[in-house]
Amino acid sequence: MTDNNDVAGLQRRLAEFAAARDWQPYHTPKNLAAALSVEAAELLEIFQWLTPEQAERVMDDPDDAHRVADEVADVLAYLLQFCQVLGVDPLAALAAKIDRNEVRFPARRRVGGGEKGAADVDPEKDRHSSE
């Protein structure tokens, strides 16, 4: 039997939850993508006015930690539902994207006597994105 906390099990639970409430007609790719965007914005809202140092410590406060966990759950729930509706395997998609990014953004070669941050790459092309 499959664990209910693996990706497929969670997708099944989400589908059953929606079916029990007759929500399937609303779970279109467009609506789920919009809901995913809204939930991601709600996660961002928690961090909106924090300094970088405050953001790093956000999980130290139980109320903030609970809010972050809830928004992460909402984002993941909509992403898993979106993937299920479109037949996307989210883990396979992520693995393939990492493979492509390893080619697109090769690891930096350190130069300059091991100096931290010294590299022979163009800083304009060095990006911290998963695009």
Side-chain angles (χ1 to χ4, degrees):
M1 185 169 132
T2 306
D3 183 1
N4 278 334
N5 287 329
D6 64 8
V7 172
L10 291 170
Q11 286 177 308
R12 195 170 32 262
R13 287 181 65 192
L14 289 164
E16 290 167 359
F17 183 88
R21 290 151 182 82
D22 297 321
W23 290 351
Q24 308 95 314
Y26 307 104
H27 286 192
T28 64
K30 179 192 80 65
N31 288 351
L32 291 168
L36 175 58
S37 176
V38 169
E39 294 301 338
E42 289 179 6
L43 178 60
L44 175 60
E45 184 180 33
I46 296 167
F47 296 88
Q48 184 174 10
W49 302 114
L50 301 182
T51 65
E53 295 78 19
Q54 290 169 323
E56 288 177 9
R57 294 188 314 270
V58 75
M59 299 304 281
D60 294 345
D61 178 87
D63 290 335
D64 288 340
H66 180 75
R67 288 177 57 212
V68 169
D70 274 355
E71 295 308 333
V72 166
D74 289 343
V75 168
L76 184 57
Y78 280 120
L79 179 60
L80 291 177
Q81 290 173 91
F82 178 83
C83 288
Q84 186 173 36
V85 165
L86 291 179
V88 173
D89 177 336
L91 298 182
L94 177 57
K97 185 66 175 193
I98 292 169
D99 290 345
R100 286 191 308 276
N101 281 346
E102 287 176 336
V103 172
R104 286 181 64 202
F105 305 106
R108 296 186 217 183
R109 288 190 338 240
R110 300 285 176 204
V111 295
E115 197 177 302
K116 186 173 181 180
D120 64 349
V121 296
D122 180 351
E124 293 299 314
K125 293 182 182 177
D126 186 29
R127 299 168 40 177
H128 300 281
S129 171
S130 61
E131 321 182 330

